Amino acid sequence: MMFTFKLRPEYGNPISIAILVCGLLSAQTLPFAFAEKKEQTTITSQRMTVQGKSRRTIFEGMVVLKKRDFVMRSDHMVVTFKKGAQTDSQETEGGTTSQVDRIEASGKVVIEKSDGKATCGRALYDKDEEKLVLTESPVAWQGGTRVEGSQMTMFLKEERSIVEGGSRVVILGE
């Protein structure tokens, strides 16, 4: 983006105006710098329905959730927000904070991270426990390993997983 300014003498000293313009341009980049320090999550979809009283937002149709190198795609996603008191850094409506409590994705769920990928029919993320539970034919790939089972529980902070219900591991090429 390029800005062009033509200064007329009646607007004052060109140096003062240049300083003002530089300040405005710098101020425009501040929100981006703060967003990088906080963990920003972006969700896109074809349709979004907000249910304020139940603290839920429903996303439908080609849903994509992105957070750093983590991407979750699904047909349907329900985000439930925590109920709590308003703080200076949170916008609230009816006592609901902007903090996520849980996320439930369903219908052709695909999860991608820099070090692996998983697919399933349903995924449930619990923010407090930093836990992701995959059900409905989950399959995960990491490096040269493929894992299947009826349920996979991933403890994200601990980098630990539990596979239940007829687990099957395939190690490719050695």
Side-chain angles (χ1 to χ4, degrees):
M1 190 181 312
M2 183 172 205
F3 295 97
T4 304
F5 295 95
K6 291 188 178 182
L7 301 176
R8 291 193 268 172
E10 62 266 22
Y11 290 138
N13 184 342
I15 294 173
S16 300
I17 293 173
I19 291 171
L20 176 64
V21 169
C22 289
L24 290 173
L25 293 176
S26 296
Q28 289 178 346
T29 62
L30 286 177
F32 297 111
F34 285 115
E36 289 173 4
K37 291 179 183 177
K38 292 182 180 182
E39 291 188 14
Q40 182 176 353
T41 301
T42 304
I43 303 173
T44 58
S45 65
Q46 292 178 330
R47 178 182 168 107
M48 179 183 81
T49 305
V50 177
Q51 298 176 338
K53 288 185 180 183
S54 62
R55 303 179 330 271
R56 297 173 3 144
T57 301
I58 300 167
F59 299 90
E60 299 171 291
M62 299 186 342
V63 184
V64 179
L65 178 148
K66 291 182 181 181
K67 183 175 183 177
R68 289 185 310 237
D69 69 337
F70 179 87
V71 178
M72 182 186 300
R73 302 174 196 283
S74 67
D75 297 329
H76 187 265
M77 187 177 292
V78 178
V79 178
T80 305
F81 296 92
K82 291 183 178 185
K83 186 173 185 176
Q86 181 174 357
T87 65
D88 292 340
S89 63
Q90 299 166 331
E91 292 182 23
T92 67
E93 183 176 318
T96 302
T97 69
S98 59
Q99 293 182 340
V100 171
D101 184 28
R102 61 186 276 170
I103 299 171
E104 186 173 351
S106 59
K108 299 177 190 162
V109 180
V110 177
I111 299 167
E112 297 173 292
K113 204 163 183 307
S114 59
D115 61 346
K117 180 179 177 179
T119 61
C120 62
R122 182 176 292 299
L124 178 62
Y125 170 72
D126 183 288
K127 172 75 167 117
D128 288 339
E129 294 184 43
E130 288 283 330
K131 178 174 78 171
L132 183 62
V133 179
L134 310 181
T135 57
E136 297 181 16
S137 305
V139 179
W141 297 266
Q142 187 172 19
T145 305
R146 177 183 168 163
V147 180
E148 299 176 40
S150 61
Q151 178 173 308
M152 294 181 188
T153 305
M154 301 171 184
F155 299 92
L156 304 175
K157 267 188 181 176
E158 302 169 28
E159 295 185 14
R160 175 175 67 96
S161 298
I162 299 172
V163 180
E164 302 174 85
S167 63
R168 179 174 184 233
V169 178
V170 177
I171 301 170
L172 303 172
E174 280 196 35

